[in-house]
Amino acid sequence: MATWQAARDELLIREKAHTREGDAIAAARRELPMVEVEPGIEVVGPDGAVPFTELFQGRDELIIYQHMWYDGAPHQGQCEGCTYAAWNLKDAVYLNARGVSFAFVTTGRWPEVAAFTEFMGYTQPWYSVRDTPAPVGGEMGQFSCFLRDGDRVFLTYSTTGRGTEPANPTFALLDMTVNGRGEAWQGIPDGHGPCWYWRTDVDGEPTWEGTGRPTPQWTRPGVTVEKTLGRDGHCH
């Protein structure tokens, strides 16, 4: 135990330094120059086309997650990475308490999006931004943050790739364990490629074959086993 504690105390020094550097980076993030968003941008939701400013729900700040989409694909063919993020973002009450609203946007056509969100049981606001210019539309698979000043809206920050990991607490929890994420880049013996467990079969076994689904879909009522992802080309 003494050996473990000594090693743990040494690692704690590095962990605290990492935390302090993270705080410094967050402060620098808040000082980034802002970019004004084109006025009059509209998005499409359950009530049809609405101004982008409606997503703020009367608050001054807004975070959106820009969800990738495969046009025409069935539910099991939609983006497993974005599903990972969306599944963990079912409630925004703590953001709301801080004066921040949250919504999902995607380039999918609204009827497809509406059917998908109903199947998944999502309750956060969702909107289609098909043909909407960046930074509200454009590239998906990222978080973007906005500030509202009256009728004016500004982009303040955007991040993609591993920058979206704060939405997925399981990453941080797995990183505490001895086998981590089970991925080869972490130095795990016999490790897998990234994202290997994001899609599973009906028995819960990781698979990227056509019989698999984004993992949480197996919890949905009436889910069936399919033989194909039903998608062509790349998501957007």
Side-chain angles (χ1 to χ4, degrees), residues 62-209:
L62 168 70
I63 300 173
I64 61 173
Y65 183 78
Q66 292 157 300
H67 194 289
M68 293 181 179
W69 194 262
Y70 290 90
D71 280 342
H75 303 326
Q76 73 270 14
Q78 292 302 337
C79 180
E80 44 281 314
C82 289
T83 298
Y84 196 171
W87 193 254
N88 288 295
L89 291 168
K90 294 183 177 180
D91 197 307
V93 292
Y94 282 106
L95 288 174
N96 297 163
R98 174 60 184 77
V100 181
S101 291
F102 178 81
F104 287 96
V105 303
T106 184
T107 54
R109 298 178 180 88
W110 177 250
E112 293 183 23
V113 175
F116 177 72
T117 57
E118 181 179 6
F119 166 72
M120 294 299 296
Y122 292 145
T123 57
Q124 298 276 34
W126 278 71
Y127 296 90
S128 171
V129 291
R130 196 175 191 86
D131 301 323
T132 301
V136 177
E139 293 296 322
M140 297 288 108
Q142 59 189 28
F143 281 105
S144 294
C145 303
F146 299 88
L147 176 69
R148 184 174 65 88
D149 182 10
D151 294 328
R152 301 175 70 190
V153 174
F154 300 86
L155 173 72
T156 62
Y157 181 68
S158 184
T159 187
T160 189
R162 292 191 65 186
T164 66
E165 287 190 2
N168 303 324
T170 48
F171 280 137
L173 292 174
L174 287 172
D175 286 345
M176 294 181 186
T177 69
V178 68
N179 287 323
R181 305 179 193 187
E183 297 174 357
W185 69 270
Q186 293 182 302
I188 305 300
D190 301 319
H192 301 268
C195 319
W196 64 281
Y197 55 94
W198 292 8
R199 181 178 284 278
T200 54
D201 64 19
V202 68
D203 297 317
E205 295 297 322
T207 179
W208 282 71
E209 300 299 325

Side-chain angles (χ1 to χ4, degrees), residues 30-54:
R30 293 191 293 271
E31 295 300 322
L32 287 172
M34 295 184 284
V35 179
E36 188 162 6
V37 175
E38 178 185 336
I41 285 180
E42 291 188 334
V43 298
V44 177
D47 298 321
V50 297
F52 177 61
T53 51
E54 187 167 304

